[in-house]
Amino acid sequence: MNVLREKVLTLDTVNPCVRRVEYAVRGPIVLRALELEAELRQGVKKPFTEVIRANVGDAQAMGQKPITFLRQVLALCIHPDLLNSPDFPEDAKRRAERILQACGGHSLGAYSISSGIQLIREDVAQYIERRDGGIPADPNNIFLSTGATDAIMTVLELLVTGEGRTRTGVLIPIPQYPLYSAALAELNAVQVDYYLDEERAWAVDVAELRRALRQARDHCRPRALCVINPGNPTGHVQTRECIEDMIRFAFEERLFLLADEVYQDNVYAEGSQFHSFKKVLMEMGPPYAAQQELASFHSISKGYMGECGFRGGYVEVVNMDAMVKQQLLKLRSVRLCPTMPGQVLLDMVVSPPAPSDPSFTQFQAERRAVLAELAAKAKLTEQVFNQAPGIRCNPVQGAMYSFPRVQLPPRAVRRAQELGLAPDMFFCQRLLEETGICVVPGSGFGQREGTYHFRMTILPPMEKLRPLLEKLKQFHARFTHEFS
């Protein structure tokens, strides 16, 4: 009885698909950053006084203040006794009462239906119609979710099937947000890489899509094309022409389209504009508008809101088979319902105060201030990096990240290989240990062979961002000199 028996679950017996999952944004660099923070708290001397986590798009962790109106309505919904308080504006109270009336037992603590509160789905539909210039949106095609990630996983679950050469392939952009590679590994699907064109500000090239598709058909069955616009990690914004090309390509090749549009409020560069895939698809007319299948995703985590921790989002499906939509609802039902606070915040995002409301002026001022500061930080980041020899950064047109390309000396590349590290991982590790700056190596997102990058968020406050950029520039110069 005292003999030690082998555990049922070991690394050898765990699901092999789980073992293949990697997520660079919270990988070994970030774990080391947490250790360094703990060491600093214990008084261990370092060549820096704080760790700056520029690795993740978490706006409020970087000091961004929540939007007042969003938090007021949420507070009222969570604690309805506050509806009697004179400290809250009347429009916030009306909005909270309206939402509570749509909740089971008039309480945010109750489950909603699995696709999300009907009232909020109707508000999302109206938001999409306004955004897309009056093109209709049906609340029955909208499913609320626990952040966009949850909805993306659900749609991928519907798509993934087959074994061997019939396994589902999904075309994803390289560089990509590692959610996609991780999700495809977990679902045992095939990741099909198509490379964005760095020389053309990360544009999509249809010839590259065709190359990726042709090669993939030798070993899997490609069924879907994923697009991230505005781009993560690249910070690019696709032109309308690019979007039309991708829709035609998907239609001709019978590919389901997934449009990750969570950064749609984050467009900064002059001449850049967000075009939703739904709007472009509908304006292209037949045969595309009536037949091309599309799922588009949005979230409360990004934009001017930055409410990452509350986990709210939605997916709108277009031209989805009615029976498949029932299967989608079934999968949502297994998860019971999206988080209720996330649903409340999403409702405020899609239906903000109107010009006649008491909260309008403050809401608009806060929203504009956040977006104006992000635009200034995007421009500063591009300028500083492009002044540094050996660093080249495309314009940060949108989203929350820069993805600069760095030249690494051959000796540094060889040293990284000796240590069993990707060269840009070696660079980022040294950067963290010597400056306290935490960024994510480009190898975690994918990049063309022989090129090296890192992703850095533009979210730190301006008083920290300027010295951070200068330190990074100086470190690259020292690193280059050391290994030259």
Side-chain angles (χ1 to χ4, degrees), residues 168-274:
T168 294
V170 178
L171 279 78
I172 66 169
I174 298 296
Q176 53 112 14
Y177 175 47
L179 160 67
Y180 292 97
S181 54
L184 295 175
E186 184 179 339
L187 295 169
N188 200 29
V190 178
Q191 175 180 324
V192 179
D193 297 344
Y194 68 90
Y195 288 90
L196 301 176
D197 188 346
E198 187 170 9
E199 304 307 316
R200 293 172 50 229
W202 304 110
V204 175
D205 181 0
V206 173
E208 169 61 14
L209 288 174
R210 295 201 188 285
R211 177 210 60 78
L213 185 68
R214 183 177 63 253
Q215 292 182 358
R217 282 181 169 152
D218 291 338
H219 60 272
C220 69
R221 185 174 292 167
R223 301 184 74 201
L225 169 61
C226 171
V227 191
I228 308 172
N229 181 51
N232 175 10
T234 51
H236 70 284
V237 179
Q238 295 291 3
T239 64
R240 184 186 174 104
E241 181 185 12
C242 262
I243 294 170
E244 288 181 359
D245 287 344
M246 297 187 86
I247 290 171
R248 285 191 198 95
F249 173 79
F251 181 81
E252 290 164 8
E253 301 294 348
R254 297 193 70 244
L255 297 172
F256 190 105
L257 261 172
L258 292 90
D260 182 337
E261 299 177 329
V262 302
Y263 295 98
Q264 59 190 258
D265 289 306
N266 300 104
V267 177
Y268 319 119
E270 195 173 329
S272 293
Q273 182 183 348
F274 171 74

Side-chain angles (χ1 to χ4, degrees), residues 121 124 128 131 136-144 151-152 154-156 158-159 256-259 278 281-282 289 292-298 314-322 324-329 332:
R121 287 161 59 223
V124 171
I128 293 170
R131 181 197 70 188
D138 182 350
N140 294 316
N141 290 335
I142 293 163
F143 298 81
L144 308 191
I152 291 165
T154 304
V155 174
L156 287 173
L158 291 171
L159 282 160
F256 190 105
L257 261 172
L258 292 90
K278 160 92 175 290
L281 174 62
M282 292 299 127
Q292 176 59 48
E293 295 152 276
L294 167 71
S296 58
F297 307 91
H298 196 17
Y314 73 79
V315 57
E316 181 189 22
V317 295
V318 178
N319 293 324
M320 180 176 272
D321 180 270
V324 174
K325 206 156 61 173
Q326 287 182 15
Q327 298 299 307
L328 173 55
L329 180 58
R332 301 307 304 156

Side-chain angles (χ1 to χ4, degrees), residues 399-418:
M400 296 177 169
Y401 316 98
S402 62
F403 196 66
R405 182 170 171 174
V406 287
Q407 290 178 7
L408 301 180
R411 277 187 61 214
V413 173
R414 286 195 298 273
R415 180 62 183 142
Q417 290 166 346
E418 289 166 7

Side-chain angles (χ1 to χ4, degrees), residues 123-140:
D123 288 347
V124 171
Q126 289 172 17
Y127 160 79
I128 293 170
E129 286 188 20
R130 289 194 307 273
R131 181 197 70 188
D132 292 345
I135 293 168
D138 182 350
N140 294 316

Side-chain angles (χ1 to χ4, degrees), residues 64-72 304 359-372:
Q64 182 178 307
K65 294 282 186 288
I67 301 295
T68 303
F69 182 74
L70 271 62
R71 289 299 184 89
Q72 285 175 331
Y304 59 90
S359 299
F360 177 78
T361 302
Q362 182 180 3
F363 173 84
Q364 283 291 90
E366 290 176 355
R367 180 183 181 277
R368 285 175 180 156
V370 168
L371 293 175

